[in-house]
Amino acid sequence: MRRKRVLVTGGAGFLGSHLCEKLLSLGHDVICLDNYYTGTRANIRHLLSNPYFELIRHDVTVPILLEVDQIYNLACPASPVHYQQDPVKTIRTNIQGAINMLDLALNTGARILQASTSEVYGDPEIHPQTENYWGHVNPIGPRSCYDEGKRCAETLFFDYFRQYGVDIKVVRIFNTYGPRMDIEDGRVISNFINQALHNRDITLYGDGMQTRSFCYVSDLIEALVLMMDSATGFTGPVNLGNPEEVTIRDIAQEIIKITESCSGMVSCPLPTDDPRQRKPDITLAQTVLGWTPEVGLEEGLQRSVQWFRTGSA
Ligand code: NAD
Ligand code: UDP
């Protein structure tokens, strides 16, 4: 395999830091670009002494010229709490960031992968979600800055592909969890583990009967690399996630069990436009990428709890 120069935007975040690690282990030169909006230097500190790792503090909304062979575009806050903090910035990151990275791909001939999301399906009316479903998204709600931003980024990717022939890959990532999630980011797994470890009440939003499907981070990273290295012309979009669907209440019970916590559960208001159900149909990823997630929910949660307890998985 030829050593490639790979740019990871959002490389100091949860997924980005695992991806940088994986790409280095495969023998690539990795440039991690991040403005530390939600990511931290701590996430990639252990990579700084690697001579094939470079770190650039930069905002994707500003153009940049770098000579690279591949671009993974992950820069964007991912938790509802973070992306709703400054919604205009979230849209700018999604759209201006995508344009800048696509222009970079156009100018350098690099292949570019977009980290899109299951949120493009909104509150889905078909279940499980397949890639040909166009979604059910509120364009003016509090989640829209993220959902519509990601949808527009997908549009841009496909327009650069059709209009300029840019070599694109688009993946739709479903809820992913694991070590290095930000404990304060308000996402369900980090919130529940944090609450359980401190024997505080678990905050169930609504009745807790809404569902999600959670993918362990190592499985997801495997799939990102497989997609980037897939045949030319296979653009996606491809769903990436673990189809094991659970209610949020079940997740709370499982985390209480694993942590042997004394926490109870408390009901809190359901956030506006919170999707009722979500589960990926991953037939396309299985068929074309030969990928199926391997880490089950119980094992993944155990590893995550261990990390939140000790700082190592
Ligand atoms: P994260 O918040 O941990 O990481 C995002 C990274 O992007 C952070 O390091 C942040 O500092 C950086 N960033 C944000 N805005 C930036 C900007 N303008 N310029 C440069 N860097 C910027 O989130 P994550 O969970 O690692 O998500 C990574 C990507 O995957 C995001 O694009 C997200 O939308 C997508 N995704 C994640 C999930 C998930 O469950 N984790 C699900 C679907 C999609
Ligand atoms: N959730 C919850 N309690 C929390 C945090 C989240 O019940 O403390 C619920 C939330 O309402 C949603 C699900 O868990 O139905 C997943 O939320 P998260 O923010 O992790 O991801 P997303 O909604 O983007 O899938």
Side-chain angles (χ1 to χ4, degrees):
M1 183 208 68
R2 189 172 71 79
R3 178 183 290 280
K4 295 201 172 68
R5 296 157 302 176
V6 186
L7 173 65
V8 180
T9 77
F14 162 50
L15 296 181
S17 61
H18 286 277
L19 179 61
C20 289
E21 218 172 76
K22 175 77 178 182
L23 292 166
L24 287 168
S25 78
L26 292 171
H28 295 302
D29 270 338
V30 176
I31 304 174
C32 166
L33 181 156
D34 207 294
N35 68 349
Y36 306 120
Y37 188 65
T38 50
T40 62
R41 283 173 67 89
N43 283 341
I44 33 96
R45 190 174 293 138
H46 60 297
L47 305 177
L48 292 174
S49 60
N50 187 320
Y52 298 109
F53 183 73
E54 273 176 74
L55 181 57
I56 301 177
R57 185 186 200 118
H58 184 80
D59 191 311
V60 283
T61 61
V62 178
I64 190 167
L65 181 59
L66 296 164
E67 287 180 0
V68 288
D69 303 303
Q70 295 182 340
I71 304 166
Y72 288 85
N73 188 35
L74 271 60
C76 180
S79 94
V81 170
H82 286 151
Y83 70 64
Q84 289 174 24
Q85 209 168 295
D86 184 346
V88 174
K89 176 72 187 177
T90 299
I91 298 184
R92 218 187 283 282
T93 294
N94 271 316
I95 295 173
Q96 194 58 54
I99 290 173
N100 289 336
M101 289 306 118
L102 283 160
D103 281 339
L104 180 60
L106 183 59
N107 291 332
T108 57
R111 175 173 282 190
I112 181 165
L113 179 145
Q114 167 69 356
S116 190
T117 167
S118 52
E119 289 283 326
V120 300
Y121 301 123
D123 191 6
E125 298 144 309
I126 71 144
H127 195 70
Q129 292 77 56
T130 46
E131 289 86 351
N132 58 9
Y133 176 51
W134 290 355
H136 179 225
V137 179
N138 177 358
I140 57 166
R143 293 177 89 97
S144 314
C145 58
Y146 184 75
D147 299 6
E148 297 289 18
K150 288 283 187 182
R151 284 167 68 93
C152 184
E154 285 199 13
T155 307
L156 283 162
F157 267 68
F158 278 86
D159 284 338
Y160 270 70
F161 167 66
R162 284 185 292 256
Q163 198 170 331
Y164 305 123
V166 170
D167 187 2
I168 63 155
K169 305 274 172 191
V170 175
V171 295
R172 294 180 178 155
I173 302 171
F174 284 64
N175 299 61
T176 301
Y177 69 103
R180 294 199 209 118
M181 286 189 90
D182 175 2
I183 194 81
E184 300 294 341
D185 74 2
R187 283 187 265 195
V188 67
I189 301 249
S190 43
N191 264 10
F192 286 4
I193 293 179
N194 195 18
Q195 290 159 348
L197 289 178
H198 293 93
N199 293 311
R200 291 200 304 261
D201 281 343
I202 303 281
T203 50
L204 278 188
Y205 299 167
D207 59 9
M209 296 312 288
Q210 66 273 37
T211 68
R212 293 293 186 272
S213 305
F214 293 96
C215 186
Y216 190 68
V217 61
S218 57
D219 281 331
L220 194 275
I221 298 300
E222 197 77 41
L224 291 183
V225 175
L226 283 171
M227 180 60 178
M228 178 61 100
D229 294 339
S230 64
T232 305
F234 177 62
T235 56
V238 180
N239 287 340
L240 297 181
N242 190 321
E244 188 183 346
E245 183 183 12
V246 286
T247 66
I248 297 306
R249 189 174 282 276
D250 285 343
I251 282 281
Q253 273 155 357
E254 186 67 29
I255 289 174
I256 289 173
K257 191 182 91 192
I258 290 172
T259 52
E260 298 175 336
S261 171
C262 307
S263 294
M265 293 189 209
V266 60
S267 186
C268 306
L270 188 69
T272 309
D273 294 339
D274 198 275
R276 285 301 305 167
Q277 54 181 3
R278 190 182 285 156
K279 169 182 165 148
D281 180 320
I282 59 164
T283 310
L284 186 61
Q286 285 172 317
T287 314
V288 181
L289 306 179
W291 174 81
T292 300
E294 285 173 357
V295 181
L297 188 58
E298 190 179 346
E299 185 188 345
L301 285 176
Q302 269 163 353
R303 289 191 206 171
S304 307
V305 166
Q306 158 85 358
W307 185 82
F308 278 110
R309 268 202 174 115
T310 65
S312 65

